[in-house]
Amino acid sequence: MSRKSWRSVKEIRIADVARLAGVSTATVSRVLSEPGKVRQKTHDLVMEAVRRSGYIPNSTAQKLRTRRTMNVLVVAPRLTNPVFAEILRGVDDELTQSGYGIIIGNLDNRREREARYVELALSRQVDGVLLLTGYIPENGARDMRESGLPIVAMCAAIDDDKIPNVVVQDREATRQAVEYLAGLGHRRFGYVSGTPTSIIEHERFRGFREGIAAAGFGPDDFVRWEGPFVFSTGVAAAESFLTMRDRPTGIFAACDESAIGFIKRIREERIRVPQDVSVIGFDGIEFSDYTEPTLTTFRQPLHELGRAGADVLMKLIQNDMSPGDWDIRLPLTLLERDTTGPVLHKDYKSLRRSSI
Amino acid sequence: MSRKSWRSVKEIRIADVARLAGVSTATVSRVLSEPGKVRQKTHDLVMEAVRRSGYIPNSTAQKLRTRRTMNVLVVAPRLTNPVFAEILRGVDDELTQSGYGIIIGNLDNRREREARYVELALSRQVDGVLLLTGYIPENGARDMRESGLPIVAMCAAIDDDKIPNVVVQDREATRQAVEYLAGLGHRRFGYVSGTPTSIIEHERFRGFREGIAAAGFGPDDFVRWEGPFVFSTGVAAAESFLTMRDRPTGIFAACDESAIGFIKRIREERIRVPQDVSVIGFDGIEFSDYTEPTLTTFRQPLHELGRAGADVLMKLIQNDMSPGDWDIRLPLTLLERDTTGPVLHKDYKSLRRSSI
DNA sequence: CTGAAAGCGCTAACAC
DNA sequence: GTGTTAGCGCTTTCAG
């Protein structure tokens, strides 16, 4: 059984309003887009006709004529990741203010999906692109730059002098995390990675090694466990950790999810956090405040990041970038909570001594 | 310092391709949209010209001409809520398959924001609307139905005979939750609500009362704590719980977040879960498997729900609905994990006896 | 300050 | 099978 007449509502066109108001379509258009340039009386006449008819301009026709879509494409690796969802909120807030709409390009961690969004850009369905991916999506044949659209990279930097970057200070924060752990007396460290191929992971690991060096340690003083930015990566890291004889006591995880997975798993083996092992996460997702114990982590200014990135894109579209907009790097905040603490047994030697 | 020449890439139009291939624009258009109706040789000629020129049709012009936008609006209460994010994934999967794009309408729990999306529908920027809100968004002056667009309600039902509903069996599952707790020997119950004004909350609470009745109890045998669908609602409920003399032992929370908040807070007071109190959540978010103890909860088939809803909308747009599509109600799955267990002290009396 | 008219780039009748 | 042509609904010169 099929239902008919979805299109039953009669469409009001600008010509209808013009007729109703006794003016030309040009005047109606002017009243709606540049009210100042029309006599008050005409203006009122037209507005009355608009109200009476319930006229709403057909946005597709507007787009075709003005060559502006008032839409922006946001390409994100995975929307169910709270980090991206929160950035999107900031983007949305800023864009809405400027009258722009959002078209979501959710890759859902599958790179095949990006082709679709390249085509979307190429077919001019949007006026600009926000990339949370850390790379330029491509098509097989072409990449997104060929659209000629303004593009802004957020969250993960892209090395292209036409693309402004709006990111957080990953590297600095991660370095600081290690120094924080070292300051608590930790001497052996662990690094739970994020998706190994991602730029973000790369930056964080770089910051980690910088921190290790800055605290006077070397490559032999830490272990690294690899895996994507998910809970199970932390669990897998914990499994490996549990098999070690000379376990690290200061663990940094490149995202909160894996920090939480790690902690959950080792606590099942009656390892105490933070008395036996300190763990520090990254992101500051809401859930990190509801774990046991609550997670020490770096909070990313996600909402602000979203707004800043959208703001830069707006400037790019409107052609009024200033040099200071080209590279924005927002600071993180250390949330000192309950999964980090001073080392009780300073190192392997003293551990042996105390247990004799 | 402003950058110029974003539009430097020269736009190729269908006429360019036609000239290049030595055919008319109509033929180019045909090759691209109905290849069967063109001679093989012409087809190849055109495709070669398309390839050489890198032509991509201007989608705005197509939309204007065909009066189809190939976009769908999805209005969601809050995208950072993992439940909606996951539904959106399902929607995306289905819509992508049909060649449709998604325009996100994220209300971010602020009803003022819906006006924008009503206008978007009214100005025909989309071919259909998916509502995760449980109500029809409005504008002050008009509501979304006046767009005449096909609308499907997902997740929360809307009572309108033009709007198909695609939902989960909230009520049945909640009823089952109570019966499950009763089956474990619980005699006093607690209900941690979700946003009191929402349809979903209403359905779940209704199921809860049905369950209470079915298990042979009455309104005096449970307490209800109100609050939105967030962690802190559970915390607040726990505070109230802690002040009670005659505490319930079987708690149902209308979402996992509040279940988790509740458990966290009472464990801080050394109340044991599930030995002293059993808690059962709702949703089955990923986190619920990483809490301590892991949360017993009902898993919603969110991805499937998203797909099903999008599928119904596609059918509506293409005018081939069958009656069975009008109301879809997907079942939930009980995940029996570690926050529920048998009552140790059956009731207040036996509790007194055993502590003497 | 207002109107007439020319398209924006494409598709779909309708002819041939 | 293919070409010609008339719009889709709007904005924006250009005249007046």
Side-chain angles (χ1 to χ4, degrees):
Chain A
M1 192 92 298
S2 73
R3 295 228 159 185
K4 288 181 190 167
S5 75
W6 277 113
R7 305 283 169 181
S8 64
V9 179
K10 107 167 162 271
E11 292 302 325
I12 294 117
R13 300 178 326 282
I14 196 169
D16 300 321
V17 179
R19 200 175 321 111
L20 216 63
V23 298
S24 73
T25 61
T27 299
V28 176
S29 175
R30 279 190 202 103
V31 168
L32 262 25
S33 55
E34 23 184 21
K37 298 198 170 178
V38 171
R39 208 172 6 137
Q40 183 63 45
K41 201 180 151 202
T42 322
H43 175 272
D44 296 346
L45 220 58
V46 170
M47 285 314 288
E48 178 55 22
V50 167
R51 211 167 299 120
R52 285 228 317 272
S53 61
Y55 171 65
I56 296 212
N58 178 313
S59 70
T60 305
Q62 289 180 312
K63 289 188 217 292
L64 180 59
R65 181 59 233 231
T66 60
R67 307 167 133 290
R68 284 178 313 138
T69 66
M70 297 305 280
N71 274 138
V72 161
L73 172 66
V74 184
V75 185
R78 200 168 82 100
L79 260 193
T80 42
N81 181 326
V83 170
F84 297 123
E86 189 63 30
I87 292 176
L88 193 66
R89 256 192 71 224
V91 169
D92 195 1
D93 281 354
E94 186 70 30
L95 252 33
T96 300
Q97 226 165 42
S98 312
Y100 276 77
I102 293 183
I103 293 187
I104 274 297
N106 181 16
L107 299 183
D108 207 28
N109 280 349
R110 287 175 280 171
R111 283 209 63 165
E112 329 82 88
R113 300 191 107 214
E114 55 186 78
R116 177 176 169 70
Y117 301 110
V118 175
E119 277 138 36
L120 201 137
L122 255 18
S123 66
R124 316 216 79 75
Q125 299 198 49
V126 292
D127 298 336
V129 181
L130 247 19
L131 253 26
L132 310 188
T133 51
Y135 59 84
I136 315 264
E138 44 192 72
N139 194 3
R142 320 170 59 174
D143 78 41
M144 208 171 260
R145 275 173 304 201
E146 299 177 47
S147 67
L149 293 173
I151 297 179
V152 172
M154 309 178 54
C155 189
I158 293 180
D159 189 22
D160 180 314
D161 61 6
K162 290 231 170 43
I163 299 181
N165 290 311
V166 179
V167 298
V168 298
Q169 298 173 356
D170 289 275
R171 216 169 65 237
E172 292 83 341
T174 311
R175 187 198 308 140
Q176 191 187 334
V178 181
E179 290 171 356
Y180 179 74
L181 290 171
L184 289 169
H186 295 277
R187 296 285 171 265
R188 267 191 70 65
F189 304 89
Y191 179 90
V192 185
S193 91
T195 316
T197 53
S198 83
I199 298 288
I200 296 184
E201 158 57 22
H202 188 259
E203 282 294 290
R204 292 185 193 163
F205 188 49
R206 190 170 144 197
F208 182 82
R209 281 172 304 176
E210 286 176 11
I212 290 287
F217 297 98
D220 295 338
D221 299 313
F222 71 85
V223 280
R224 178 172 190 267
W225 297 288
E226 281 196 355
F229 286 111
V230 296
F231 287 104
S232 56
T233 295
V235 176
E239 300 291 359
S240 160
F241 169 91
L242 290 168
T243 65
M244 295 175 70
R245 287 163 300 116
D246 196 12
R247 293 172 181 160
T249 62
I251 311 290
F252 171 85
C255 73
D256 286 345
E257 280 89 343
S258 58
I260 291 165
F262 186 90
I263 292 166
K264 170 118 209 289
R265 183 67 191 90
I266 63 174
R267 275 167 58 100
E268 285 169 5
E269 304 300 326
R270 310 227 156 267
I271 292 171
R272 294 165 309 162
V273 178
Q275 294 88 338
D276 302 323
V277 177
S278 282
V279 180
I280 179 164
F282 202 98
D283 287 344
I285 62 177
E286 197 185 5
F287 189 53
S288 67
D289 204 16
Y290 289 90
T291 55
E292 282 178 36
T294 55
L295 185 67
T296 296
T297 186
F298 277 90
R299 191 167 58 70
Q300 295 205 51
L302 297 173
H303 188 265
E304 196 186 342
L305 185 73
R307 290 199 76 122
D311 179 55
V312 169
L313 184 62
M314 291 294 97
K315 286 180 176 156
L316 216 47
I317 289 175
Q318 285 146 27
N319 246 308
D320 68 303
M321 287 289 282
S322 55
D325 297 328
W326 275 88
D327 280 286
I328 294 178
R329 307 193 69 234
L330 302 176
L332 301 254
T333 314
L334 175 61
L335 304 178
E336 298 191 58
R337 296 197 289 219
D338 303 328
T339 54
T340 43
V343 172
L344 297 186
H345 307 294
K346 273 242 162 56
D347 53 32
Y348 192 57
K349 235 162 67 195
S350 63
L351 181 65
R352 288 243 294 274
R353 202 182 310 131
S354 69
S355 50
I356 289 173
Chain B
M1 197 88 297
S2 72
R3 295 228 158 185
K4 289 181 191 166
S5 74
W6 276 113
R7 307 282 169 180
S8 64
V9 179
K10 106 164 165 272
E11 292 302 325
I12 293 118
R13 300 179 325 283
I14 196 170
D16 300 322
V17 180
R19 202 175 320 113
L20 215 62
V23 299
S24 74
T25 60
T27 299
V28 177
S29 175
R30 278 189 204 104
V31 169
L32 264 22
S33 55
E34 22 184 23
K37 298 198 171 178
V38 171
R39 214 186 342 155
Q40 183 63 44
K41 200 180 150 200
T42 323
H43 175 273
D44 296 346
L45 220 57
V46 170
M47 285 314 288
E48 178 56 22
V50 167
R51 211 168 298 119
R52 286 229 314 274
S53 61
Y55 171 67
I56 297 215
N58 178 314
S59 70
T60 305
Q62 289 181 312
K63 289 188 216 293
L64 179 59
R65 182 60 231 232
T66 60
R67 305 166 132 291
R68 283 177 315 136
T69 65
M70 297 304 280
N71 274 138
V72 161
L73 172 65
V74 184
V75 185
R78 199 168 81 101
L79 261 193
T80 43
N81 182 327
V83 170
F84 297 123
E86 189 64 29
I87 292 176
L88 194 66
R89 257 192 70 224
V91 169
D92 195 0
D93 281 354
E94 185 71 29
L95 253 32
T96 299
Q97 226 165 43
S98 313
Y100 276 77
I102 293 183
I103 294 187
I104 275 296
N106 180 15
L107 299 183
D108 206 29
N109 280 350
R110 287 176 280 171
R111 283 208 64 163
E112 326 84 87
R113 301 192 102 211
E114 57 188 74
R116 177 177 169 68
Y117 302 110
V118 175
E119 276 138 37
L120 201 138
L122 256 18
S123 65
R124 316 215 77 79
Q125 299 197 48
V126 293
D127 297 337
V129 181
L130 246 20
L131 254 24
L132 310 188
T133 51
Y135 59 83
I136 315 266
E138 43 192 73
N139 195 3
R142 319 171 59 172
D143 78 42
M144 207 170 262
R145 274 173 303 200
E146 300 178 46
S147 67
L149 293 172
I151 297 178
V152 173
M154 307 176 56
C155 189
I158 293 179
D159 187 23
D160 180 314
D161 61 7
K162 291 230 168 45
I163 300 181
N165 291 311
V166 180
V167 298
V168 299
Q169 297 173 357
D170 290 274
R171 214 167 68 234
E172 291 82 342
T174 312
R175 187 199 308 141
Q176 192 186 332
V178 181
E179 290 171 357
Y180 180 74
L181 289 171
L184 288 169
H186 296 276
R187 295 286 170 265
R188 267 190 70 65
F189 304 90
Y191 179 90
V192 184
S193 91
T195 315
T197 53
S198 82
I199 298 290
I200 296 182
E201 158 56 24
H202 187 257
E203 281 294 290
R204 292 186 192 161
F205 187 49
R206 190 170 144 198
F208 182 82
R209 281 173 304 179
E210 286 176 10
I212 289 287
F217 297 98
D220 295 337
D221 299 313
F222 71 87
V223 278
R224 178 172 191 265
W225 297 286
E226 281 197 356
F229 286 112
V230 295
F231 286 105
S232 56
T233 296
V235 177
E239 299 291 359
S240 160
F241 169 90
L242 291 168
T243 65
M244 296 175 70
R245 285 164 303 117
D246 196 11
R247 292 172 182 160
T249 61
I251 311 290
F252 171 84
C255 73
D256 286 346
E257 281 89 342
S258 57
I260 291 166
F262 186 90
I263 293 166
K264 169 117 208 292
R265 183 68 191 88
I266 64 173
R267 274 168 59 100
E268 285 168 5
E269 304 300 327
R270 311 227 154 267
I271 292 171
R272 295 165 308 162
V273 177
Q275 295 86 339
D276 301 323
V277 177
S278 282
V279 180
I280 179 165
F282 202 97
D283 286 343
I285 61 176
E286 199 183 3
F287 268 155
S288 65
D289 204 16
Y290 288 90
T291 53
E292 282 179 35
T294 55
L295 185 68
T296 296
T297 186
F298 278 90
R299 192 165 59 68
Q300 296 204 49
L302 297 173
H303 188 265
E304 197 187 342
L305 185 72
R307 290 200 76 123
D311 179 54
V312 169
L313 184 62
M314 292 293 96
K315 286 181 174 155
L316 216 46
I317 289 175
Q318 286 147 27
N319 246 309
D320 69 302
M321 287 288 283
S322 56
D325 297 327
W326 275 88
D327 281 285
I328 295 178
R329 307 194 67 235
L330 303 176
L332 302 253
T333 315
L334 175 61
L335 304 178
E336 299 190 58
R337 295 198 290 219
D338 303 328
T339 54
T340 43
V343 171
L344 297 187
H345 307 295
K346 274 242 163 57
D347 55 30
Y348 192 59
K349 233 161 66 195
S350 62
L351 179 66
R352 289 242 294 274
R353 201 182 311 131
S354 69
S355 51
I356 288 172

